[in-house]
Amino acid sequence: MEPPSILTLLTDDLLLKILFLLTDDFDRKSFRSTCKVFHRVDSLHRTHLRVLRPEFLSTLVAKFPSLYSLDLSVCPRIDDGTIPLLLSSIPSGSSSWPGKIKRLNLSRCSGLRFPGLQMVVCFFVNLESVDVSYCCGFGDREAAALSCLAGLRELNFDKCLCVTDVGLAKIVVGCPYLESLSLKWCFEVTDIGIELLSKKCTKLKHLDISYLKVTSESLHAVGRMERLEVLVMVGCGLVNDMGLHYLGKGCPSLQVLDISRCDKLSSSALVTVIKAHSGLLQLHASYSFFEIPVTFLYQFKDLKKLRSLRIDGARVSDASFQIIGANCKVLVEIGMGKCRGVSDTCIIQLVSGCVNLKVFNLTCCSDLTDLAIQAIAESCRDLSCLKLECCNLLSQKSLEYLGSHCVLLEDIDLTDCSGINDIGLKYLSKCSELICLKLGLCTNISNKGLSYIASNCPNIRELDLYRCLGIGDDGLASLLVGCKKLKKLILSYCSAVTDRGMECLGYLEELSDLELRGLPNITGTGLRALAAGCRRLAELDLKHCENIDDSGFWALAYYSRNLQQINLSGCQISDVSLCMLMGNLPRLQDAKLVDLINVTANGFELALRACCVRLKKLKLLASLRRQLARETVETLKARGCKIRWD
């Protein structure tokens, strides 16, 4: 008789604690695939479901009784016609399930309009959070449908281009308990809508009005929101200093303010906000001011709780950083990308006081040398993210300092840092917690340097090797041994990569986003090996891979069923292969099909008809506009597909 399994000693409570410690989706999938007991625990306690194929929704609902969050944003074919079928397929035994759903994500479901949305609202009556961002055709009627959700507390309307003050009025009247509202890129919303919002939604805590054509009068209204904690108003070009004066007199609960890219504001006006809100936790003013005067920074003495500061794009001085370092002791993030006047002395003075920094953006601060990085590494031991793009004076010494002191580093951007070489990567590989590494345009690295990273950094999820001409097949071979968790890889214009490299990538089972532009040595053989191994591929860019034949594209059609985005521009694909590919990818939503010289107008016609119910974005040559049947183009647009004619 076999001894009992050790798994029988683990109670459901213990297994649940283990499950909560697994933050990665792939790890959670491995957990529930281990045995029936693990699968049961996962099923009983799963609260969020991201549906990839809508036809499976009814089956999944029965398996997960604790669901309260549903994400349909990556589902193709979510439109007015499919919603009745989708909802009616829910089994009768799950009649209580719709009432349990509190969060619903319909982002990019651009084929959905008022009739379908009304059915959704009637079905999920207890919704508290709805995301309809990037549903560009949404307007006032759709807003009216959502206004029936009286218990709604969170609503994301980003880029719902047809929503006006009328639609917003419906929302604020019907949903008085709103706590979070995002109207980013809702260009038709004006001061009138914001005024009504301030009067009706008195519980609002988070508001995003970025890129709206509102004036300072809107901030006058916003100032009356006593519970508002977060205000994001990026790119509000019509707001002037008077608007900040209104904020300074109101919003007593304000903790986060983002006025980035508001070019009519002055730093002196921002002083009124700072004086009235000493409890600010985050202040973002990137690309708003030409210069940050010292007199302005003296006001930071009152911001003792400030944790995040972004002043990208401004001119600064040594004295500026001395003041920040002396007064903002609890800063964990600072953004100085493209700031003029940043020197080694600036950085040394800053980090002498801000020793708790975890996120540091120094993009395009091209005067910095190894001395600045030494000061950062020695002072900021908890650093997790460092942006150094275009800092060309840095050498391998900088990476030696980081490797020796910043062992918690997870994200580093070294794009276009010409002084980085293989020895530097050897030093950097001591940062074994690295998750994201960007080395694009680093022309002095080779396969040897990449092997150091692969050997010591097993947690890397994202790797950018854009135009790293010294990287070839041997470097990719090292990745399959040491970087098995890699999800995103950019190899564009790494011309030394061949089919052998593609075969190596085929062993990276978690790879989902791959950019292979301009690789002349990849053929159909390499693409077949890649497609057969990387079944999780969701985004693939093959632009100007001119030597891939139809056999490679047929393999994509057969194996890559999870592809959502594909770029075939400049490829040698034929009519038959394009039709096969577009028709066989059930999740494809975004396709770039420019300069396909072997595809006829009839081939495009058939291919688009095969996938018109799924596509949300499409890029074609402008000359095809006259050759495609009007019916085909109108069908695509009616289903919410956005076509760009290049």
Side-chain angles (χ1 to χ4, degrees), residues 174-208:
C175 310
Y177 300 106
L178 269 182
E179 296 179 1
S180 177
L181 176 63
S182 185
L183 298 168
K184 188 175 182 180
W185 289 307
C186 293
F187 299 123
E188 300 302 318
V189 173
T190 70
D191 293 337
I192 297 173
I194 304 300
E195 173 74 24
L196 184 61
L197 174 67
S198 69
K199 292 178 179 179
K200 296 293 184 180
C201 295
T202 57
K203 300 182 183 298
L204 204 64
K205 295 180 180 180
H206 184 291
L207 177 62
D208 190 338

PDB file of all heavy atoms in Angstrom, residues 174-208:
ATOM      1  N   GLY A 174     -27.054  60.122 -12.404  1.00  0.00           N
ATOM      2  CA  GLY A 174     -27.443  58.736 -12.125  1.00  0.00           C
ATOM      3  C   GLY A 174     -26.501  58.006 -11.196  1.00  0.00           C
ATOM      4  O   GLY A 174     -26.886  57.010 -10.574  1.00  0.00           O
ATOM      5  N   CYS A 175     -25.256  58.468 -11.095  1.00  0.00           N
ATOM      6  CA  CYS A 175     -24.246  57.772 -10.280  1.00  0.00           C
ATOM      7  C   CYS A 175     -23.655  58.724  -9.239  1.00  0.00           C
ATOM      8  O   CYS A 175     -22.484  59.128  -9.340  1.00  0.00           O
ATOM      9  CB  CYS A 175     -23.135  57.216 -11.170  1.00  0.00           C
ATOM     10  SG  CYS A 175     -23.715  56.253 -12.590  1.00  0.00           S
ATOM     11  N   PRO A 176     -24.411  59.091  -8.249  1.00  0.00           N
ATOM     12  CA  PRO A 176     -23.955  60.109  -7.286  1.00  0.00           C
ATOM     13  C   PRO A 176     -22.857  59.640  -6.345  1.00  0.00           C
ATOM     14  O   PRO A 176     -22.255  60.456  -5.647  1.00  0.00           O
ATOM     15  CB  PRO A 176     -25.232  60.435  -6.503  1.00  0.00           C
ATOM     16  CG  PRO A 176     -26.042  59.176  -6.580  1.00  0.00           C
ATOM     17  CD  PRO A 176     -25.766  58.595  -7.927  1.00  0.00           C
ATOM     18  N   TYR A 177     -22.595  58.314  -6.325  1.00  0.00           N
ATOM     19  CA  TYR A 177     -21.596  57.792  -5.393  1.00  0.00           C
ATOM     20  C   TYR A 177     -20.228  57.597  -6.050  1.00  0.00           C
ATOM     21  O   TYR A 177     -19.344  56.968  -5.475  1.00  0.00           O
ATOM     22  CB  TYR A 177     -22.071  56.457  -4.813  1.00  0.00           C
ATOM     23  CG  TYR A 177     -23.375  56.578  -4.054  1.00  0.00           C
ATOM     24  CD1 TYR A 177     -24.561  56.104  -4.598  1.00  0.00           C
ATOM     25  CD2 TYR A 177     -23.420  57.186  -2.795  1.00  0.00           C
ATOM     26  CE1 TYR A 177     -25.765  56.232  -3.911  1.00  0.00           C
ATOM     27  CE2 TYR A 177     -24.608  57.316  -2.101  1.00  0.00           C
ATOM     28  CZ  TYR A 177     -25.780  56.835  -2.667  1.00  0.00           C
ATOM     29  OH  TYR A 177     -26.958  56.979  -1.989  1.00  0.00           O
ATOM     30  N   LEU A 178     -20.046  58.161  -7.237  1.00  0.00           N
ATOM     31  CA  LEU A 178     -18.763  58.030  -7.928  1.00  0.00           C
ATOM     32  C   LEU A 178     -17.615  58.516  -7.049  1.00  0.00           C
ATOM     33  O   LEU A 178     -17.661  59.601  -6.476  1.00  0.00           O
ATOM     34  CB  LEU A 178     -18.771  58.836  -9.229  1.00  0.00           C
ATOM     35  CG  LEU A 178     -19.211  58.144 -10.522  1.00  0.00           C
ATOM     36  CD1 LEU A 178     -19.108  59.107 -11.680  1.00  0.00           C
ATOM     37  CD2 LEU A 178     -18.387  56.891 -10.798  1.00  0.00           C
ATOM     38  N   GLU A 179     -16.561  57.701  -7.002  1.00  0.00           N
ATOM     39  CA  GLU A 179     -15.357  58.078  -6.265  1.00  0.00           C
ATOM     40  C   GLU A 179     -14.165  58.267  -7.191  1.00  0.00           C
ATOM     41  O   GLU A 179     -13.207  58.961  -6.827  1.00  0.00           O
ATOM     42  CB  GLU A 179     -15.028  57.007  -5.215  1.00  0.00           C
ATOM     43  CG  GLU A 179     -16.092  56.877  -4.131  1.00  0.00           C
ATOM     44  CD  GLU A 179     -15.757  55.798  -3.129  1.00  0.00           C
ATOM     45  OE1 GLU A 179     -14.667  55.170  -3.275  1.00  0.00           O
ATOM     46  OE2 GLU A 179     -16.546  55.565  -2.196  1.00  0.00           O
ATOM     47  N   SER A 180     -14.227  57.659  -8.381  1.00  0.00           N
ATOM     48  CA  SER A 180     -13.121  57.772  -9.335  1.00  0.00           C
ATOM     49  C   SER A 180     -13.685  57.912 -10.743  1.00  0.00           C
ATOM     50  O   SER A 180     -14.517  57.105 -11.166  1.00  0.00           O
ATOM     51  CB  SER A 180     -12.211  56.538  -9.248  1.00  0.00           C
ATOM     52  OG  SER A 180     -11.187  56.600 -10.218  1.00  0.00           O
ATOM     53  N   LEU A 181     -13.228  58.949 -11.467  1.00  0.00           N
ATOM     54  CA  LEU A 181     -13.712  59.199 -12.820  1.00  0.00           C
ATOM     55  C   LEU A 181     -12.554  59.653 -13.694  1.00  0.00           C
ATOM     56  O   LEU A 181     -11.834  60.595 -13.356  1.00  0.00           O
ATOM     57  CB  LEU A 181     -14.804  60.272 -12.816  1.00  0.00           C
ATOM     58  CG  LEU A 181     -15.346  60.704 -14.187  1.00  0.00           C
ATOM     59  CD1 LEU A 181     -16.026  59.531 -14.889  1.00  0.00           C
ATOM     60  CD2 LEU A 181     -16.316  61.872 -14.029  1.00  0.00           C
ATOM     61  N   SER A 182     -12.374  58.974 -14.826  1.00  0.00           N
ATOM     62  CA  SER A 182     -11.326  59.349 -15.772  1.00  0.00           C
ATOM     63  C   SER A 182     -11.967  59.738 -17.098  1.00  0.00           C
ATOM     64  O   SER A 182     -12.684  58.944 -17.712  1.00  0.00           O
ATOM     65  CB  SER A 182     -10.336  58.196 -15.979  1.00  0.00           C
ATOM     66  OG  SER A 182      -9.269  58.603 -16.805  1.00  0.00           O
ATOM     67  N   LEU A 183     -11.684  60.986 -17.526  1.00  0.00           N
ATOM     68  CA  LEU A 183     -12.249  61.534 -18.769  1.00  0.00           C
ATOM     69  C   LEU A 183     -11.155  61.886 -19.770  1.00  0.00           C
ATOM     70  O   LEU A 183     -11.356  62.721 -20.647  1.00  0.00           O
ATOM     71  CB  LEU A 183     -13.071  62.790 -18.452  1.00  0.00           C
ATOM     72  CG  LEU A 183     -14.283  62.588 -17.537  1.00  0.00           C
ATOM     73  CD1 LEU A 183     -14.820  63.935 -17.085  1.00  0.00           C
ATOM     74  CD2 LEU A 183     -15.366  61.791 -18.254  1.00  0.00           C
ATOM     75  N   LYS A 184     -10.019  61.270 -19.644  1.00  0.00           N
ATOM     76  CA  LYS A 184      -8.869  61.576 -20.493  1.00  0.00           C
ATOM     77  C   LYS A 184      -9.223  61.450 -21.974  1.00  0.00           C
ATOM     78  O   LYS A 184      -9.797  60.449 -22.404  1.00  0.00           O
ATOM     79  CB  LYS A 184      -7.730  60.615 -20.139  1.00  0.00           C
ATOM     80  CG  LYS A 184      -6.398  60.918 -20.784  1.00  0.00           C
ATOM     81  CD  LYS A 184      -5.356  59.949 -20.237  1.00  0.00           C
ATOM     82  CE  LYS A 184      -3.980  60.226 -20.793  1.00  0.00           C
ATOM     83  NZ  LYS A 184      -2.976  59.286 -20.245  1.00  0.00           N
ATOM     84  N   TRP A 185      -8.900  62.487 -22.734  1.00  0.00           N
ATOM     85  CA  TRP A 185      -9.158  62.535 -24.182  1.00  0.00           C
ATOM     86  C   TRP A 185     -10.644  62.561 -24.544  1.00  0.00           C
ATOM     87  O   TRP A 185     -11.003  62.290 -25.690  1.00  0.00           O
ATOM     88  CB  TRP A 185      -8.484  61.378 -24.908  1.00  0.00           C
ATOM     89  CG  TRP A 185      -6.995  61.482 -24.980  1.00  0.00           C
ATOM     90  CD1 TRP A 185      -6.255  62.521 -25.427  1.00  0.00           C
ATOM     91  CD2 TRP A 185      -6.051  60.465 -24.610  1.00  0.00           C
ATOM     92  NE1 TRP A 185      -4.915  62.243 -25.353  1.00  0.00           N
ATOM     93  CE2 TRP A 185      -4.758  60.979 -24.846  1.00  0.00           C
ATOM     94  CE3 TRP A 185      -6.176  59.180 -24.095  1.00  0.00           C
ATOM     95  CZ2 TRP A 185      -3.604  60.258 -24.592  1.00  0.00           C
ATOM     96  CZ3 TRP A 185      -5.014  58.471 -23.840  1.00  0.00           C
ATOM     97  CH2 TRP A 185      -3.753  58.997 -24.088  1.00  0.00           C
ATOM     98  N   CYS A 186     -11.517  62.880 -23.628  1.00  0.00           N
ATOM     99  CA  CYS A 186     -12.931  63.095 -23.970  1.00  0.00           C
ATOM    100  C   CYS A 186     -13.068  64.559 -24.400  1.00  0.00           C
ATOM    101  O   CYS A 186     -13.489  65.428 -23.622  1.00  0.00           O
ATOM    102  CB  CYS A 186     -13.833  62.776 -22.777  1.00  0.00           C
ATOM    103  SG  CYS A 186     -13.846  61.032 -22.307  1.00  0.00           S
ATOM    104  N   PHE A 187     -12.703  64.832 -25.632  1.00  0.00           N
ATOM    105  CA  PHE A 187     -12.506  66.206 -26.095  1.00  0.00           C
ATOM    106  C   PHE A 187     -13.772  67.063 -26.081  1.00  0.00           C
ATOM    107  O   PHE A 187     -13.692  68.290 -26.112  1.00  0.00           O
ATOM    108  CB  PHE A 187     -11.918  66.200 -27.510  1.00  0.00           C
ATOM    109  CG  PHE A 187     -10.575  65.535 -27.617  1.00  0.00           C
ATOM    110  CD1 PHE A 187     -10.367  64.473 -28.490  1.00  0.00           C
ATOM    111  CD2 PHE A 187      -9.522  65.955 -26.831  1.00  0.00           C
ATOM    112  CE1 PHE A 187      -9.131  63.861 -28.592  1.00  0.00           C
ATOM    113  CE2 PHE A 187      -8.274  65.341 -26.920  1.00  0.00           C
ATOM    114  CZ  PHE A 187      -8.079  64.290 -27.797  1.00  0.00           C
ATOM    115  N   GLU A 188     -14.938  66.430 -26.062  1.00  0.00           N
ATOM    116  CA  GLU A 188     -16.188  67.189 -26.134  1.00  0.00           C
ATOM    117  C   GLU A 188     -16.705  67.624 -24.764  1.00  0.00           C
ATOM    118  O   GLU A 188     -17.706  68.321 -24.673  1.00  0.00           O
ATOM    119  CB  GLU A 188     -17.264  66.357 -26.852  1.00  0.00           C
ATOM    120  CG  GLU A 188     -16.896  65.965 -28.283  1.00  0.00           C
ATOM    121  CD  GLU A 188     -16.620  67.181 -29.150  1.00  0.00           C
ATOM    122  OE1 GLU A 188     -17.361  68.171 -29.065  1.00  0.00           O
ATOM    123  OE2 GLU A 188     -15.624  67.148 -29.916  1.00  0.00           O
ATOM    124  N   VAL A 189     -16.031  67.210 -23.707  1.00  0.00           N
ATOM    125  CA  VAL A 189     -16.424  67.632 -22.362  1.00  0.00           C
ATOM    126  C   VAL A 189     -15.823  69.011 -22.081  1.00  0.00           C
ATOM    127  O   VAL A 189     -14.634  69.234 -22.295  1.00  0.00           O
ATOM    128  CB  VAL A 189     -15.959  66.618 -21.308  1.00  0.00           C
ATOM    129  CG1 VAL A 189     -16.216  67.141 -19.900  1.00  0.00           C
ATOM    130  CG2 VAL A 189     -16.675  65.284 -21.501  1.00  0.00           C
ATOM    131  N   THR A 190     -16.643  69.922 -21.585  1.00  0.00           N
ATOM    132  CA  THR A 190     -16.206  71.301 -21.357  1.00  0.00           C
ATOM    133  C   THR A 190     -16.365  71.702 -19.890  1.00  0.00           C
ATOM    134  O   THR A 190     -16.705  70.880 -19.031  1.00  0.00           O
ATOM    135  CB  THR A 190     -17.018  72.269 -22.239  1.00  0.00           C
ATOM    136  OG1 THR A 190     -18.378  72.315 -21.744  1.00  0.00           O
ATOM    137  CG2 THR A 190     -17.045  71.813 -23.690  1.00  0.00           C
ATOM    138  N   ASP A 191     -16.177  72.994 -19.636  1.00  0.00           N
ATOM    139  CA  ASP A 191     -16.328  73.528 -18.279  1.00  0.00           C
ATOM    140  C   ASP A 191     -17.715  73.255 -17.703  1.00  0.00           C
ATOM    141  O   ASP A 191     -17.873  73.046 -16.491  1.00  0.00           O
ATOM    142  CB  ASP A 191     -16.082  75.043 -18.279  1.00  0.00           C
ATOM    143  CG  ASP A 191     -14.637  75.395 -18.600  1.00  0.00           C
ATOM    144  OD1 ASP A 191     -13.762  74.537 -18.392  1.00  0.00           O
ATOM    145  OD2 ASP A 191     -14.387  76.528 -19.055  1.00  0.00           O
ATOM    146  N   ILE A 192     -18.721  73.245 -18.564  1.00  0.00           N
ATOM    147  CA  ILE A 192     -20.103  73.029 -18.107  1.00  0.00           C
ATOM    148  C   ILE A 192     -20.243  71.654 -17.451  1.00  0.00           C
ATOM    149  O   ILE A 192     -20.843  71.507 -16.381  1.00  0.00           O
ATOM    150  CB  ILE A 192     -21.091  73.172 -19.284  1.00  0.00           C
ATOM    151  CG1 ILE A 192     -21.032  74.595 -19.847  1.00  0.00           C
ATOM    152  CG2 ILE A 192     -22.500  72.811 -18.857  1.00  0.00           C
ATOM    153  CD1 ILE A 192     -21.846  74.789 -21.113  1.00  0.00           C
ATOM    154  N   GLY A 193     -19.659  70.630 -18.113  1.00  0.00           N
ATOM    155  CA  GLY A 193     -19.735  69.281 -17.560  1.00  0.00           C
ATOM    156  C   GLY A 193     -18.999  69.154 -16.242  1.00  0.00           C
ATOM    157  O   GLY A 193     -19.487  68.515 -15.298  1.00  0.00           O
ATOM    158  N   ILE A 194     -17.820  69.764 -16.153  1.00  0.00           N
ATOM    159  CA  ILE A 194     -17.044  69.687 -14.916  1.00  0.00           C
ATOM    160  C   ILE A 194     -17.750  70.430 -13.783  1.00  0.00           C
ATOM    161  O   ILE A 194     -17.726  69.999 -12.622  1.00  0.00           O
ATOM    162  CB  ILE A 194     -15.630  70.261 -15.134  1.00  0.00           C
ATOM    163  CG1 ILE A 194     -14.926  69.523 -16.290  1.00  0.00           C
ATOM    164  CG2 ILE A 194     -14.816  70.160 -13.859  1.00  0.00           C
ATOM    165  CD1 ILE A 194     -14.762  68.041 -16.081  1.00  0.00           C
ATOM    166  N   GLU A 195     -18.405  71.527 -14.107  1.00  0.00           N
ATOM    167  CA  GLU A 195     -19.159  72.280 -13.104  1.00  0.00           C
ATOM    168  C   GLU A 195     -20.262  71.418 -12.497  1.00  0.00           C
ATOM    169  O   GLU A 195     -20.428  71.357 -11.264  1.00  0.00           O
ATOM    170  CB  GLU A 195     -19.762  73.526 -13.756  1.00  0.00           C
ATOM    171  CG  GLU A 195     -20.711  74.325 -12.890  1.00  0.00           C
ATOM    172  CD  GLU A 195     -20.014  75.128 -11.819  1.00  0.00           C
ATOM    173  OE1 GLU A 195     -18.822  75.441 -11.999  1.00  0.00           O
ATOM    174  OE2 GLU A 195     -20.659  75.437 -10.787  1.00  0.00           O
ATOM    175  N   LEU A 196     -21.007  70.731 -13.350  1.00  0.00           N
ATOM    176  CA  LEU A 196     -22.074  69.861 -12.859  1.00  0.00           C
ATOM    177  C   LEU A 196     -21.505  68.699 -12.059  1.00  0.00           C
ATOM    178  O   LEU A 196     -22.073  68.298 -11.031  1.00  0.00           O
ATOM    179  CB  LEU A 196     -22.909  69.351 -14.034  1.00  0.00           C
ATOM    180  CG  LEU A 196     -24.130  68.513 -13.679  1.00  0.00           C
ATOM    181  CD1 LEU A 196     -25.108  69.317 -12.827  1.00  0.00           C
ATOM    182  CD2 LEU A 196     -24.825  68.013 -14.947  1.00  0.00           C
ATOM    183  N   LEU A 197     -20.379  68.161 -12.514  1.00  0.00           N
ATOM    184  CA  LEU A 197     -19.725  67.065 -11.810  1.00  0.00           C
ATOM    185  C   LEU A 197     -19.393  67.465 -10.373  1.00  0.00           C
ATOM    186  O   LEU A 197     -19.619  66.698  -9.423  1.00  0.00           O
ATOM    187  CB  LEU A 197     -18.449  66.668 -12.560  1.00  0.00           C
ATOM    188  CG  LEU A 197     -17.531  65.635 -11.907  1.00  0.00           C
ATOM    189  CD1 LEU A 197     -18.219  64.281 -11.853  1.00  0.00           C
ATOM    190  CD2 LEU A 197     -16.218  65.527 -12.669  1.00  0.00           C
ATOM    191  N   SER A 198     -18.866  68.670 -10.202  1.00  0.00           N
ATOM    192  CA  SER A 198     -18.475  69.119  -8.862  1.00  0.00           C
ATOM    193  C   SER A 198     -19.672  69.267  -7.934  1.00  0.00           C
ATOM    194  O   SER A 198     -19.545  69.106  -6.717  1.00  0.00           O
ATOM    195  CB  SER A 198     -17.719  70.444  -8.962  1.00  0.00           C
ATOM    196  OG  SER A 198     -18.584  71.495  -9.353  1.00  0.00           O
ATOM    197  N   LYS A 199     -20.837  69.562  -8.499  1.00  0.00           N
ATOM    198  CA  LYS A 199     -22.030  69.756  -7.676  1.00  0.00           C
ATOM    199  C   LYS A 199     -22.700  68.438  -7.290  1.00  0.00           C
ATOM    200  O   LYS A 199     -23.233  68.305  -6.185  1.00  0.00           O
ATOM    201  CB  LYS A 199     -23.034  70.635  -8.423  1.00  0.00           C
ATOM    202  CG  LYS A 199     -22.580  72.080  -8.617  1.00  0.00           C
ATOM    203  CD  LYS A 199     -23.605  72.875  -9.404  1.00  0.00           C
ATOM    204  CE  LYS A 199     -23.178  74.329  -9.579  1.00  0.00           C
ATOM    205  NZ  LYS A 199     -24.161  75.113 -10.369  1.00  0.00           N
ATOM    206  N   LYS A 200     -22.679  67.475  -8.195  1.00  0.00           N
ATOM    207  CA  LYS A 200     -23.438  66.236  -7.980  1.00  0.00           C
ATOM    208  C   LYS A 200     -22.612  65.118  -7.338  1.00  0.00           C
ATOM    209  O   LYS A 200     -23.130  64.353  -6.534  1.00  0.00           O
ATOM    210  CB  LYS A 200     -24.007  65.747  -9.309  1.00  0.00           C
ATOM    211  CG  LYS A 200     -25.017  66.704  -9.940  1.00  0.00           C
ATOM    212  CD  LYS A 200     -26.279  66.798  -9.098  1.00  0.00           C
ATOM    213  CE  LYS A 200     -27.330  67.678  -9.767  1.00  0.00           C
ATOM    214  NZ  LYS A 200     -28.565  67.778  -8.952  1.00  0.00           N
ATOM    215  N   CYS A 201     -21.336  65.002  -7.724  1.00  0.00           N
ATOM    216  CA  CYS A 201     -20.521  63.880  -7.229  1.00  0.00           C
ATOM    217  C   CYS A 201     -19.639  64.356  -6.077  1.00  0.00           C
ATOM    218  O   CYS A 201     -18.424  64.554  -6.234  1.00  0.00           O
ATOM    219  CB  CYS A 201     -19.683  63.296  -8.364  1.00  0.00           C
ATOM    220  SG  CYS A 201     -20.666  62.536  -9.664  1.00  0.00           S
ATOM    221  N   THR A 202     -20.236  64.508  -4.943  1.00  0.00           N
ATOM    222  CA  THR A 202     -19.532  65.076  -3.791  1.00  0.00           C
ATOM    223  C   THR A 202     -18.574  64.091  -3.125  1.00  0.00           C
ATOM    224  O   THR A 202     -17.776  64.491  -2.284  1.00  0.00           O
ATOM    225  CB  THR A 202     -20.550  65.561  -2.746  1.00  0.00           C
ATOM    226  OG1 THR A 202     -21.393  64.458  -2.367  1.00  0.00           O
ATOM    227  CG2 THR A 202     -21.410  66.679  -3.321  1.00  0.00           C
ATOM    228  N   LYS A 203     -18.655  62.820  -3.504  1.00  0.00           N
ATOM    229  CA  LYS A 203     -17.783  61.811  -2.910  1.00  0.00           C
ATOM    230  C   LYS A 203     -16.547  61.540  -3.770  1.00  0.00           C
ATOM    231  O   LYS A 203     -15.736  60.675  -3.428  1.00  0.00           O
ATOM    232  CB  LYS A 203     -18.555  60.503  -2.700  1.00  0.00           C
ATOM    233  CG  LYS A 203     -19.763  60.623  -1.780  1.00  0.00           C
ATOM    234  CD  LYS A 203     -20.448  59.281  -1.594  1.00  0.00           C
ATOM    235  CE  LYS A 203     -21.705  59.421  -0.743  1.00  0.00           C
ATOM    236  NZ  LYS A 203     -21.390  59.912   0.612  1.00  0.00           N
ATOM    237  N   LEU A 204     -16.384  62.277  -4.861  1.00  0.00           N
ATOM    238  CA  LEU A 204     -15.300  62.011  -5.799  1.00  0.00           C
ATOM    239  C   LEU A 204     -13.934  62.199  -5.137  1.00  0.00           C
ATOM    240  O   LEU A 204     -13.661  63.222  -4.515  1.00  0.00           O
ATOM    241  CB  LEU A 204     -15.416  62.944  -7.012  1.00  0.00           C
ATOM    242  CG  LEU A 204     -14.748  62.466  -8.311  1.00  0.00           C
ATOM    243  CD1 LEU A 204     -15.414  61.202  -8.826  1.00  0.00           C
ATOM    244  CD2 LEU A 204     -14.789  63.559  -9.367  1.00  0.00           C
ATOM    245  N   LYS A 205     -13.066  61.181  -5.318  1.00  0.00           N
ATOM    246  CA  LYS A 205     -11.719  61.224  -4.752  1.00  0.00           C
ATOM    247  C   LYS A 205     -10.641  61.284  -5.833  1.00  0.00           C
ATOM    248  O   LYS A 205      -9.539  61.781  -5.583  1.00  0.00           O
ATOM    249  CB  LYS A 205     -11.471  59.992  -3.875  1.00  0.00           C
ATOM    250  CG  LYS A 205     -12.347  59.915  -2.645  1.00  0.00           C
ATOM    251  CD  LYS A 205     -12.020  58.664  -1.837  1.00  0.00           C
ATOM    252  CE  LYS A 205     -12.892  58.571  -0.585  1.00  0.00           C
ATOM    253  NZ  LYS A 205     -12.565  57.336   0.200  1.00  0.00           N
ATOM    254  N   HIS A 206     -10.939  60.757  -7.021  1.00  0.00           N
ATOM    255  CA  HIS A 206      -9.945  60.675  -8.103  1.00  0.00           C
ATOM    256  C   HIS A 206     -10.565  61.210  -9.388  1.00  0.00           C
ATOM    257  O   HIS A 206     -11.616  60.733  -9.816  1.00  0.00           O
ATOM    258  CB  HIS A 206      -9.499  59.218  -8.297  1.00  0.00           C
ATOM    259  CG  HIS A 206      -8.419  59.042  -9.309  1.00  0.00           C
ATOM    260  ND1 HIS A 206      -8.609  59.242 -10.655  1.00  0.00           N
ATOM    261  CD2 HIS A 206      -7.113  58.675  -9.172  1.00  0.00           C
ATOM    262  CE1 HIS A 206      -7.491  59.009 -11.301  1.00  0.00           C
ATOM    263  NE2 HIS A 206      -6.557  58.668 -10.425  1.00  0.00           N
ATOM    264  N   LEU A 207      -9.918  62.199 -10.016  1.00  0.00           N
ATOM    265  CA  LEU A 207     -10.438  62.796 -11.249  1.00  0.00           C
ATOM    266  C   LEU A 207      -9.303  63.007 -12.237  1.00  0.00           C
ATOM    267  O   LEU A 207      -8.274  63.601 -11.913  1.00  0.00           O
ATOM    268  CB  LEU A 207     -11.112  64.138 -10.949  1.00  0.00           C
ATOM    269  CG  LEU A 207     -11.641  64.927 -12.162  1.00  0.00           C
ATOM    270  CD1 LEU A 207     -12.726  64.137 -12.890  1.00  0.00           C
ATOM    271  CD2 LEU A 207     -12.169  66.289 -11.726  1.00  0.00           C
ATOM    272  N   ASP A 208      -9.502  62.522 -13.464  1.00  0.00           N
ATOM    273  CA  ASP A 208      -8.538  62.710 -14.553  1.00  0.00           C
ATOM    274  C   ASP A 208      -9.225  63.461 -15.690  1.00  0.00           C
ATOM    275  O   ASP A 208     -10.161  62.937 -16.304  1.00  0.00           O
ATOM    276  CB  ASP A 208      -8.017  61.357 -15.045  1.00  0.00           C
ATOM    277  CG  ASP A 208      -6.832  61.493 -16.009  1.00  0.00           C
ATOM    278  OD1 ASP A 208      -6.679  62.578 -16.607  1.00  0.00           O
ATOM    279  OD2 ASP A 208      -6.078  60.520 -16.157  1.00  0.00           O
TER     280      ASP A 208
END
